């Protein structure tokens, strides 16, 4: 049913009989467009709004406990995020323009990881609920277990987040940790498909980060340190044992 | 941004709105101060429940109202449905134009003297700009109830405004 502005205004001013008012209320309940029209015509709303909008004059003070996670300066962090995305674009563009050959997943993941700083991971919410969701999502994409119990108990590393990335249509999971100094360390897993060759552990410095890569059973794995000097110790053997396919 | 950061920033961004709603619920600015503080702490405790950073404002309003209903109203002095005294009219910002002030104070007083259900609905829809649908969801009532509360509130406001405008016109000699 179509109501004229006059009819809607008469409703708002209380000048319609009960049946007419009911017809309008039913139409509003059925159709958000009628609701918007009616709200826009309401002569009372702006009057009341104007009276109340100046109250309170000053923002009231609130006592909040200090943040649980170490909080970086939000402004600086945003700037860092912008700088990081600009850097990603710049680096990707440079690589694309000068590419000697197509980059493999490990090189790409290392470039991405090299942009991480302690600030990037300082504020991540790694509550069990959050990790539950992330791991469920990541494992569903990947089609295999991520051995979360192993990842949560790596010596000297605090599990921060698992996130789903994509590399040429293949799910690439990045799991990030903070080391004892709060620096970011990552473990990546990519689904390469059943035909992919198995590879023994290979150590290399990629994009300024120490890395260890290996592959088996159609999955590729990579551990990335916080810098070129990171000396993988027991965590590498724990991971190669846990991710044998 | 973590959910905790998002909730912290929403608390700061919407503190005036939550306080205003708390004032309308309780009718007293000291209770509104307490309600806002309790709302902020409760929201922070529950930040893990936040799944979307959109509409954190209505989430805060809902928490505020639930603390009012479940924890504060019962022990608040003003138990009556409608606030019996003229509450906090000095909160109205004073304009240089005294007729505007008289009118604003009149509207403020009328809204604050509405029965609680109409008062909270008027605040959410007229003042905070929520749609009828959104207000219905926040107050957990059918949309028809929102509309009939607003209709009843309009009738009361209309009478008051007409008197007041008539007074102003008479005194202004226009």
């Amino acid at each position: 049913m179509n109501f004229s502005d006059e009819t809607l205004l008469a409703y708002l001013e209380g000048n319609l009989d009960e049946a007419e008012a009911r017809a309008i209320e039913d139409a509003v309940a059925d159709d958000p467009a009628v609701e918007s029209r009616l709200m826009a015509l309401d002569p009372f709303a702006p009057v009341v709004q104007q009276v109340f909008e100046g109250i309170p004059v000053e923002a009231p003070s609130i006592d909040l406990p200090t943040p649980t996670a170490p909080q970086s300066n939000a402004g600086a962090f945003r700037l860092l995020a912008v700088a990081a995305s600009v850097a990603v674009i710049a680096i990707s563009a440079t690589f694309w323009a000068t590419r000697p050959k197509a980059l493999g997943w490990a090189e790409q993941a290392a470039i991405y990881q090299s942009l991480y700083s302690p600030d990037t991971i300082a504020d991540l919410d790694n509550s069990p609920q959050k990790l539950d969701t992330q791991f469920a999502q990541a494992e569903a994409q990947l089609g295999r277990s991520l051995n979360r119990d192993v990842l949560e108990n790596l010596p000297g590393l605090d599990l921060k987040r698992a996130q789903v990335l994509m590399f040429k249509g293949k799910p690439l999971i990045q799991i990030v940790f903070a080391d004892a100094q709060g620096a970011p360390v990552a473990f990546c897993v990519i689904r390469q498909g059943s035909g992919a060759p198995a590879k023994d552990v290979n150590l290399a410095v990629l994009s300024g980060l120490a890395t260890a890569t290996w592959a088996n059973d159609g999955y590729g794995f990579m551990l990335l340190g916080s810098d070129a000097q990171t000396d993988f110790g027991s965590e590498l053997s724990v991971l190669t044992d846990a991710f044998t396919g | 941004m973590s959910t905790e950061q998002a909730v912290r920033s929403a608390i700061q961004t919407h503190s005036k709105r939550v306080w205003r709603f708390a004032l309308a619920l309780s009718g007293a600015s000291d209770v509104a101060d307490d309600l806002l503080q309790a709302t902020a702490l409760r929201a922070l405790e529950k930040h893990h429940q936040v799944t979307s950073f959109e509409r954190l404002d209505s989430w805060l309003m809902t928490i505020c109202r639930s603390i009012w209903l479940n924890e504060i109203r019962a022990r608040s002095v003003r138990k009556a449905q409608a606030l019996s005294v003229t509450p906090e009219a000095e909160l109205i910002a004073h304009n240089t134009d005294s007729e505007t002030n008289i009118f604003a104070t009149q509207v403020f007083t009328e809204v604050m003297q509405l029965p609680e259900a109409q008062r909270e609905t008027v605040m959410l829809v007229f003042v905070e700009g929520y749609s009828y649908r959104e207000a219905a969801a926040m107050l957990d009532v059918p949309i028809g109830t929102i509309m009939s509360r607003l209709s009843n509130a309009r009738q009361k406001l209309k009478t008051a405004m007409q008197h007041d405008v008539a007074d102003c016109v008479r005194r202004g000699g226009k």
Side-chain angles (χ1 to χ4, degrees):
Chain A
M1 191 167 176
N2 236 334
F3 300 101
S4 68
D5 284 1
E6 288 72 25
T7 310
L8 293 178
L9 206 53
Y11 166 82
L12 292 166
E13 288 177 343
N15 296 332
L16 292 186
D17 67 35
E18 209 171 307
E20 293 170 313
R22 172 56 66 90
I24 289 181
E25 289 177 358
D26 289 346
V28 167
D30 288 344
D31 184 358
V34 182
E35 179 186 6
S36 306
R37 275 183 65 207
L38 189 66
M39 286 187 70
L41 287 169
D42 195 331
F44 293 87
V47 175
V48 177
Q49 213 263 338
Q50 206 179 358
V51 168
F52 277 85
E53 73 182 352
I55 303 173
V57 178
E58 308 264 322
S61 72
I62 307 169
D63 258 341
L64 291 179
T66 45
T68 47
Q71 204 174 25
S72 64
N73 181 306
F77 185 75
R78 209 164 297 129
L79 206 62
L80 182 79
V82 171
S85 36
V86 170
V88 172
I89 293 164
I91 291 173
S92 315
T94 310
F95 268 91
W96 185 249
T98 61
R99 65 192 188 283
K101 62 181 172 72
L103 284 172
W105 75 274
E107 284 88 348
Q108 284 282 13
I111 291 168
Y112 173 65
Q113 186 62 33
S114 70
L115 298 171
Y116 272 51
S117 80
D119 273 339
T120 319
I121 57 170
D123 289 327
L124 291 179
D125 172 11
N126 63 347
S127 61
Q129 302 92 307
K130 202 84 191 172
L131 289 174
D132 284 347
T133 315
Q134 293 167 357
F135 271 82
Q137 214 172 21
E139 293 182 337
Q141 284 286 326
L142 209 54
R144 63 159 289 154
S145 161
L146 283 166
N147 299 320
R148 179 166 157 196
D149 51 335
V150 174
L151 299 177
E152 278 181 323
N153 293 301
L154 288 173
L157 295 178
D158 183 18
L159 179 57
K160 299 296 264 185
R161 184 190 61 197
Q163 72 174 346
V164 178
L165 305 169
M166 276 288 169
F167 178 73
K168 294 186 178 170
K170 295 168 186 159
L172 168 58
I173 308 305
Q174 178 223 34
I175 296 147
V176 65
F177 306 82
D179 71 14
Q181 284 74 45
V185 168
F187 175 57
C188 294
V189 182
I190 187 171
R191 194 177 70 210
Q192 297 175 304
S194 50
K199 286 181 184 161
D200 285 332
V201 174
N202 177 46
L203 299 176
V205 174
L206 296 174
S207 298
L209 303 178
T211 67
T213 48
W214 68 101
N216 55 48
D217 280 334
Y219 289 91
F221 306 92
M222 175 162 63
L223 180 60
L224 301 103
S226 57
D227 59 38
Q229 276 76 47
T230 305
D231 190 12
F232 299 123
S234 53
E235 66 267 50
L236 180 57
S237 52
V238 171
L239 287 173
T240 49
D241 285 344
F243 292 88
T244 50
Chain B
M1 200 192 306
S2 72
T3 51
E4 185 183 332
Q5 285 176 310
V7 168
R8 279 175 183 275
S9 108
I11 289 167
Q12 298 301 343
T13 309
H14 303 301
S15 64
K16 282 192 178 188
R17 304 178 68 188
V18 175
W19 190 89
R20 186 155 69 203
F21 188 52
L23 176 75
L25 292 173
S26 66
S29 57
D30 54 341
V31 182
D33 289 342
D34 293 349
L35 249 173
L36 172 64
Q37 178 67 32
T39 302
L41 294 178
R42 188 69 47 85
L44 214 48
E45 282 165 25
K46 295 172 135 197
H47 77 86
H48 290 305
Q49 297 175 7
V50 170
T51 51
S52 160
F53 293 171
E54 279 168 43
R55 309 291 6 206
L56 285 178
D57 53 338
S58 57
W59 182 64
L60 292 173
M61 296 292 206
T62 311
I63 293 175
C64 173
R65 180 169 175 271
S66 130
I67 295 175
W68 163 248
L69 292 180
N70 299 322
E71 298 167 36
I72 296 185
R73 183 166 64 171
R75 62 178 161 81
S76 178
V77 190
R78 302 183 182 91
K79 287 182 185 173
Q81 265 275 296
L83 302 166
S84 52
V85 291
T86 302
E88 313 281 347
E90 71 273 16
L91 286 165
I92 301 288
H94 284 280
N95 276 297
T96 44
D97 178 354
S98 67
E99 283 175 12
T100 310
N101 286 340
I102 293 166
F103 181 68
T105 306
Q106 181 76 18
V107 171
F108 179 84
T109 307
E110 283 303 323
V111 170
M112 295 303 274
Q113 290 185 341
L114 292 171
E116 187 173 328
Q118 291 175 27
R119 198 165 65 237
E120 62 184 4
T121 310
V122 162
M123 289 303 290
L124 293 179
V125 176
F126 288 1
V127 179
E128 306 303 340
Y130 293 107
S131 69
Y132 300 163
R133 252 159 256 275
E134 288 168 327
M138 290 163 74
L139 301 177
D140 199 21
V141 295
I143 187 169
T145 305
I146 296 293
M147 283 187 278
S148 70
R149 285 179 184 175
L150 292 176
S151 290
N152 291 330
R154 280 190 206 97
Q155 288 312 301
K156 288 174 192 144
L157 294 174
K158 185 176 169 182
T159 317
M161 286 177 191
Q162 278 167 348
H163 287 163
D164 201 76
V165 169
D167 285 352
C168 284
V169 169
R170 239 192 337 271
R171 272 183 284 105
K174 288 167 211 160

